[in-house]
Amino acid sequence: MRKVAVIGVGCTSFGEKWETSFRNLFVEAGALALEDAGLSGEQIDEMFVGNMSAGRFVEQEHVGALIADYAGLATNHIPSTRVEAACASGGLAFRQAVTAVASGMADIVVAAGVEKMTDVGTGVSVDALAGAADREWEGFAGATFPGLYAMIATDYMHRYGLTREQLAGVAVKNHRNGAKNPRAQFRSEITVDTVINSSLVADPLRLFDCSPITDGAAAVIVAPLERAREFTDTPIRVLGSGQATDTISLHDRRDICTLDATMVAGERAFHAAGVERTQIDMIEVHDCFTIAELCAIEDLGFCAKGQAGILTEEGVTALDGDLPVNPSGGLKACGHPVGATGIKQIYEIITQLRGEATGRQIDGEIGMTHNVGGTGATVVCHILGV
Ligand code: COA
């Protein structure tokens, strides 16, 4: 297998982007990534596009071909493939691109993610997102994503004594980071009181415990490491990749507070990279709800079960802490255009490792991403290093 590096990145701002179409969101991110790598479209060999539900959100299917066409690549007839694994679609698109380059099947490959969620009302969005869980056993019984994660939060608080304030601390920290990120959907700092007094969504989760509904796109370009310096002075190596699945229904899990797929995907990524947890300088984790960030930190093995709330309270996961988590603002404050989130996580870690994260820069040489589909039925982790 060949070694792989990221040679270019691009990301739109995240938010309610009424002025931009689904296809133009992708074109903007793709053009930024090409410009960053100093490439022209003709040099692209292949493309993987993470997208969860364009059919429900903008009534558009056949996204791989559409994106290739509107990126101006249709006449080159490059392979362009839509990748779908719910909210892990972006991370999985990146893994497909890395695999294509590592195997020698292609040299210059785009991994992108795009979602336009705000053209429909919240009810339609929430229902489309519920398709990432088990429609027959969860969705039809009325379980929404906030509802499913609320069950995790309730069980977790009962078993581990997590306080309402500690849970709110995740959102406070991520809004603080998001306020420093020019691409973030929410750029305002909040307090614990903001979270605790916001409207109840699914007990105990309140509005500020939830990631929002978001439009956005991100793209990264990968190449063989041995060719990377043809395109950039700062190639970032893909050190390890791990993917795992689990039962699609939450009620079939061994333990609803532990995402086994996170444990396995993380372990696979660490093993592939030959890296210890103590070497990780920063992580972007899938904080679709505040409780999800705490579970991720624990299930990736950075602390014992039940301890992540205390770490957050003590500032360990803050930008200036020993283990900064979600420097971008995470899904909570940066926003969560579901198919694009996994690529945005890669974008953030690359930006950090290049030393280009002005205002939220962390010193470090190795970063990690953790992208979840559903309540943990698919998890994709990557480790990246200078
Ligand atoms: N955090 C903070 N503020 C939020 C927010 C969030 N998650 N979502 C919306 N807001 C703000 C809006 O900016 C708006 O503020 P304004 O009145 O000052 O303009 C206000 O709250 C109302 O926004 P609206 O879009 O009407 O919210 P909503 O009630 O329709 O939707 C949720 C709120 C929580 C239901 C929705 O964001 C949601 O479903 N989130 C979860 C998404 C999800 O499940 N993703 C997949 C996870 S795996």
Side-chain angles (χ1 to χ4, degrees):
M1 297 281 263
R2 299 193 295 181
K3 290 186 173 17
V4 180
V6 178
I7 59 168
V9 295
C11 188
T12 68
S13 59
F14 282 8
E16 285 193 36
K17 298 179 74 73
W18 296 103
E19 73 292 356
T20 309
S21 67
F22 173 77
R23 62 191 69 185
N24 283 343
L25 275 175
F26 170 84
V27 169
E28 182 185 336
L32 287 167
L34 282 175
E35 186 184 344
D36 186 47
L39 282 167
S40 64
E42 298 76 53
Q43 292 170 277
I44 302 298
D45 293 329
E46 187 160 7
M47 192 151 70
F48 293 93
V49 184
N51 174 258
M52 176 182 164
S53 201
R56 294 292 305 277
F57 291 128
V58 292
E59 298 187 15
Q60 175 70 60
E61 305 290 6
H62 209 172
V63 167
L66 174 96
I67 293 300
D69 187 7
Y70 274 80
L73 301 176
T75 47
N76 297 355
H77 309 297
I78 64 158
S80 176
T81 308
R82 174 185 182 170
V83 178
E84 191 275 312
C87 305
S89 301
L92 200 51
F94 183 72
R95 185 172 152 88
Q96 299 302 310
V98 169
T99 305
V101 173
S103 71
M105 289 279 284
D107 260 17
I108 311 294
V109 180
V110 175
V114 57
E115 207 79 57
K116 188 153 202 328
M117 303 171 74
T118 69
D119 288 0
V120 293
T122 304
V124 175
S125 293
V126 168
D127 188 60
L129 291 167
D134 188 327
R135 180 63 79 178
E136 285 193 21
W137 288 101
E138 294 176 317
F140 287 159
T144 60
F145 262 88
L148 291 166
Y149 275 92
M151 285 188 238
I152 298 175
T154 302
D155 189 31
Y156 187 109
M157 291 170 97
H158 174 69
R159 283 161 63 183
Y160 300 111
L162 176 78
T163 66
R164 190 43 275 206
E165 288 74 15
Q166 287 170 331
L167 189 57
V170 174
V172 172
K173 185 261 298 169
N174 287 347
H175 269 256
R176 195 183 306 129
N177 295 353
K180 298 178 170 65
N181 182 354
R183 287 178 180 73
Q185 181 164 0
F186 297 125
R187 301 205 57 205
S188 52
E189 295 206 23
I190 58 168
T191 65
V192 167
D193 282 345
T194 319
V195 184
I196 291 176
N197 295 323
S198 62
S199 34
L200 192 59
V201 175
D203 195 26
L205 301 178
R206 293 178 174 272
L207 182 68
F208 277 84
D209 288 297
C210 303
S211 58
I213 289 165
T214 308
D215 305 329
V220 302
I221 304 173
V222 293
L225 180 61
E226 74 232 20
R227 287 194 59 195
R229 286 199 182 271
E230 288 174 34
F231 310 101
T232 176
D233 294 335
T234 53
I236 303 296
R237 293 175 299 150
V238 182
L239 300 175
S241 175
Q243 180 187 348
T245 48
D246 201 346
T247 65
I248 193 134
S249 298
L250 193 57
H251 59 257
D252 282 332
R253 303 274 168 79
R254 175 181 69 82
D255 170 0
I256 68 166
C257 294
T258 301
L259 275 66
D260 284 351
T262 291
M263 295 175 74
V264 175
E267 199 53 53
R268 287 178 179 155
F270 280 115
H271 180 75
V275 160
E276 302 294 330
R277 283 163 183 77
T278 50
Q279 291 175 264
I280 300 290
D281 297 309
M282 65 200 78
I283 345 172
E284 282 278 306
V285 303
H286 198 95
D287 60 318
C288 48
F289 300 94
T290 44
I291 187 65
E293 176 165 318
L294 301 182
C295 291
I297 294 167
E298 295 163 358
D299 299 341
L300 288 170
F302 289 102
C303 68
K305 205 71 206 165
Q307 297 303 301
I310 297 165
L311 289 194
T312 306
E313 192 172 40
E314 290 175 344
V316 174
T317 60
L319 275 184
D320 58 355
D322 287 344
L323 181 67
V325 178
N326 282 328
S328 70
L331 284 55
K332 173 68 208 72
C334 190
H336 184 24
V338 285
T341 284
I343 301 292
K344 185 235 55 189
Q345 294 178 325
I346 302 282
Y347 173 90
E348 175 66 17
I349 296 295
I350 300 290
T351 305
Q352 290 282 350
L353 295 178
R354 285 174 169 184
E356 295 171 354
T358 311
R360 61 184 194 288
Q361 183 63 49
I362 300 160
D363 279 342
E365 299 191 338
I366 301 183
M368 182 170 192
T369 60
H370 162 261
N371 190 200
V372 176
T375 53
T378 299
V379 176
V380 191
C381 292
H382 286 99
I383 299 177
L384 303 151
V386 293

